[in-house]
């Protein structure tokens, strides 16, 4: 459960998100759930600025799971271009085939069904649940782990997989409201990507610098 300080941080982050969120084409309800999933797969280990043109062209060519499922493999690899790790493209097509065959072309709406899809792990399933379906679920990626570790524990997040402590903290800090929890996930992730970066964080631009345990600890 959030205390008064946690609530203050959540409010500050929500206001910051409202004014500073990057206008990415899959945000703000402009993409289907499938489009959100594609954006998350493309964004793994790839800068968002590089993803936008590939995502836009990809979704124009294959706007849903059925379209991608039927595409020639060579065309899928070519369209992936320079995003790197082309195996992701093939796994995404495997996912599309499963969605087309098992779910009549529509993404399933439960975490367990999503995480069972080819190429979909905990983070991607949680992100789709939150960002596409508006469900209350903790989304945990590298950026979120770094922000929460610095702001609330006053230390750096360790590499590797998320620890149990990090997962419990992410769940504890998640606002109770479905709608507010979505904003929270988006705002914390955006802060980690654009302000609270791993190297040379822009603390002078951070909306929660005054409440940050990491800065208090020097």
């Amino acid at each position: 459960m959030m205390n008064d300080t946690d609530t203050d941080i959540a409010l500050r982050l929500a206001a910051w998100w409202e004014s500073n969120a990057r206008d990415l084409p899959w945000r703000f309800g402009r993409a289907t759930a499938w489009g959100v999933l594609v954006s998350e797969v493309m964004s793994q280990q790839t800068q968002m600025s590089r993803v936008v043109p590939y995502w836009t062209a990809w979704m124009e060519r294959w706007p849903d799971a059925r379209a991608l499922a039927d595409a020639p493999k060579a065309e899928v690899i070519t369209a992936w271009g320079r995003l790197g790790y082309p195996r992701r493209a093939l796994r995404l097509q495997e996912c599309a085939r499963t969605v087309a065959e098992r779910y009549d072309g529509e993404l399933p709406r439960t975490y367990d069904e999503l995480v069972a899809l080819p190429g979909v792990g905990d983070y991607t399933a949680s992100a789709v649940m939150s960002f596409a379906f508006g469900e209350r679920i903790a989304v945990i990626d590298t950026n979120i782990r770094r922000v929460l570790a610095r702001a609330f524990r006053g230390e750096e997040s360790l590499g590797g997989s998320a620890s149990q402590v990090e997962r419990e903290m992410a769940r504890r800090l998640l606002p109770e409201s479905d709608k507010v929890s979505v904003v929270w996930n988006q705002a914390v992730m955006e802060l980690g990507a654009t302000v609270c970066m791993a190297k040379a964080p822009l603390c002078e631009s951070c909306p929660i610098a005054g409440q940050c345990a990491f800065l208090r600890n020097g």
Side-chain angles (χ1 to χ4, degrees):
M1 181 176 295
M2 301 176 74
N3 57 35
D4 290 345
T5 300
D6 299 341
T7 300
D8 182 47
I9 289 176
L11 291 172
R12 288 173 181 272
L13 281 176
W16 175 83
W17 164 262
E18 185 70 25
S19 301
N20 294 276
R22 289 170 293 177
D23 187 20
L24 302 174
W26 51 83
R27 284 179 170 172
F28 313 119
R30 291 177 296 178
T32 62
W34 177 254
V36 171
L37 184 143
V38 172
S39 76
E40 293 297 342
V41 174
M42 285 187 168
S43 299
Q44 293 169 11
Q45 298 175 297
T46 307
Q47 291 181 335
M48 288 287 193
S49 58
R50 292 181 56 206
V51 170
V52 171
Y54 284 102
W55 182 90
T56 301
W58 186 283
M59 294 304 296
E60 288 176 354
R61 190 169 188 176
W62 302 303
D64 53 39
R66 288 190 182 282
L68 180 59
D70 295 333
K73 183 181 293 186
E75 292 184 15
V76 172
I77 291 294
T78 299
W80 196 256
R82 302 183 66 182
L83 285 174
Y85 306 97
R87 178 62 184 163
R88 287 184 294 165
L90 298 180
R91 292 289 280 171
L92 184 57
Q93 186 173 41
E94 290 178 40
C95 178
R97 287 173 179 152
T98 300
V99 171
E101 295 167 3
R102 189 175 302 170
Y103 298 102
D104 198 28
E106 297 293 330
L107 273 184
R109 297 182 67 98
T110 71
Y111 173 87
D112 288 343
E113 289 174 309
L114 285 168
V115 82
L117 294 172
V120 176
D122 169 73
Y123 165 75
T124 302
S126 299
V128 170
M129 289 291 293
S130 180
F131 306 149
F133 297 141
E135 298 288 343
R136 181 182 181 274
I137 186 171
V139 179
I140 304 171
D141 78 337
T142 302
N143 287 319
I144 288 179
R145 290 170 61 193
R146 182 168 59 255
V147 172
L148 297 187
R150 286 175 173 174
F152 293 94
R153 300 208 324 264
E155 55 190 55
E156 291 286 6
S157 174
L158 300 177
S161 301
S163 68
Q164 187 62 30
V165 169
E166 289 175 315
R167 292 185 179 280
E168 289 175 355
M169 181 170 62
R171 287 191 288 266
R172 179 183 70 79
L173 293 170
L174 194 66
E176 291 294 330
S177 161
D178 289 349
K179 184 176 181 180
V180 178
S181 73
V182 174
V183 173
W184 167 263
N185 284 329
Q186 292 174 320
V188 177
M189 187 180 299
E190 187 80 343
L191 190 75
T194 63
V195 176
C196 191
M197 297 169 288
K199 297 180 179 179
L202 306 175
C203 297
E204 67 279 3
S205 302
C206 181
I208 60 171
Q211 293 81 19
C212 180
F214 195 77
L215 290 180
R216 287 201 305 271
N217 293 347

